Amino acid sequence: MKEVIFLTGGAQRVGLYCTEQLQQQGYQLVISYRTRHSSIDALEQAGVICLQADLTQLESLQQLVTTVRQHTPRLRAIIHNASDWNKDQQLQPDNLSQQLLQDAQVFDAMMAIHARAPYLLNRALLPLLQAQLAGGGAADIIQISDFVATVGSEKHQAYAASKAALENLTFSEARLLAPHIKVNAIAPALLMFNQGDDDEYKQKALAKSLLGIEPGPGEVLATIQYLLQSRYITGRVLALDGGRQLKLP
């Protein structure tokens, strides 16, 4: 029987790449996605179990947990990759009530997807990880954080705070679930550009790290594989930032 990995946000960019590669490497992937993209058809044809869910909505989370448990009795790993990158709203000194409402919406959305959803899913799916252990296997939780969790962000304060919350959950869960289940986080900086990013932006972004490259999603996959194979790493945040912390002012 194939080992099963549940990965959130598996239909785009880094999540899509990791889903495709891990499925090809012999794991059975169960993924969540919010919006059905063209990639879903190809994933389903490759045998990936694709489940639609809005991780910011409690009812949708509850249904996701129920459906995951219907598909598999055990999990080799839970990987929290689902993310959003909402920018802080412009200040509105002449309309304080509107500003408070918009700021609250951004903050709540960031916390919901990056902190609340991983917290709830880890607790609800813990029996599936424990079943993996009972069968003689290993079990992991891997949470995708961000470089800004440790340094903050001027324009994405809510986003950075939510990723910091995710890293703190990593520490707490590692304590709780040791010595049997390892819990770690991965904190990338720039991995890959978006379509439409201009050359000026790209050069500015590349100059922020010592290595100065766009490494691609393979760096996250390699780190996931490393953590899955390790027997002695837990409660850590692994930085994938090209030495960016050494170029900070």
Side-chain angles (χ1 to χ4, degrees):
M1 183 176 177
K2 290 183 177 181
E3 291 187 317
V4 183
I5 292 177
F6 173 54
L7 185 149
T8 65
Q12 294 189 86
R13 292 174 59 80
V14 174
L16 174 60
Y17 179 84
C18 291
T19 295
E20 293 172 333
Q21 295 300 312
L22 290 169
Q23 182 79 7
Q24 290 175 17
Q25 291 168 14
Y27 293 103
Q28 173 59 59
L29 267 290
V30 179
I31 70 163
S32 74
Y33 66 92
R34 182 170 54 185
T35 302
R36 189 176 181 94
H37 298 278
S38 58
S39 60
I40 296 294
D41 291 336
L43 291 175
E44 290 177 337
Q45 290 175 8
V48 176
I49 298 170
C50 303
L51 307 175
Q52 193 281 328
D54 183 345
L55 301 187
T56 67
Q57 300 299 316
L58 187 56
E59 285 187 8
S60 187
L61 272 173
Q62 291 172 326
Q63 183 59 49
L64 178 62
V65 168
T66 298
T67 309
V68 170
R69 295 179 69 127
Q70 289 172 346
H71 279 287
T72 180
R74 61 183 63 87
L75 286 173
R76 170 63 183 87
I78 300 172
I79 302 175
H80 293 288
N81 171 74
S83 186
D84 208 345
W85 200 51
N86 290 2
K87 190 175 182 179
D88 299 326
Q89 299 294 307
Q90 269 194 321
L91 295 177
Q92 301 180 53
D94 298 327
N95 194 345
L96 181 58
S97 60
Q98 181 67 18
Q99 179 184 318
L100 286 171
L101 176 62
Q102 292 181 347
D103 287 348
Q105 289 173 340
V106 171
F107 189 85
D108 289 349
M110 293 297 90
M111 285 293 178
I113 192 168
H114 300 136
R116 188 182 74 167
Y119 171 74
L120 295 177
L121 288 171
N122 288 343
R123 292 172 67 84
L125 297 175
L126 178 59
L128 276 63
L129 295 172
Q130 293 170 330
Q132 177 78 7
L133 297 172
D140 282 83
I141 295 173
I142 300 173
Q143 333 219 77
I144 307 300
S145 181
D146 192 295
F147 172 78
V148 299
T150 55
V151 299
S153 171
E154 294 176 2
K155 297 180 180 179
H156 295 84
Q157 296 177 56
Y159 170 84
S162 67
K163 289 294 190 177
L166 178 62
E167 292 189 4
N168 192 269
L169 280 173
T170 300
F171 306 144
S172 297
E173 292 165 347
R175 287 174 178 267
L176 175 66
L177 300 178
H180 304 296
I181 298 172
K182 308 195 320 293
V183 186
N184 293 286
I186 301 172
L190 169 71
L191 290 173
M192 51 197 298
F193 291 113
N194 293 298
Q195 281 189 335
D197 289 340
D198 59 37
D199 289 339
E200 181 180 357
Y201 170 79
K202 290 180 180 180
Q203 292 306 313
K204 184 178 179 180
L206 292 172
K208 291 181 179 180
S209 75
L210 292 179
L211 298 182
I213 62 170
E214 177 192 9
E219 287 295 319
V220 173
L221 175 66
T223 309
I224 288 172
Q225 293 169 320
Y226 173 64
L227 290 172
L228 291 176
Q229 293 166 7
S230 170
R231 298 172 53 215
Y232 202 54
I233 301 175
T234 196
R236 305 301 295 179
V237 179
L238 277 63
L240 298 181
D241 58 25
R244 185 169 174 174
Q245 80 283 2
L246 297 178
K247 293 201 73 173
L248 291 173

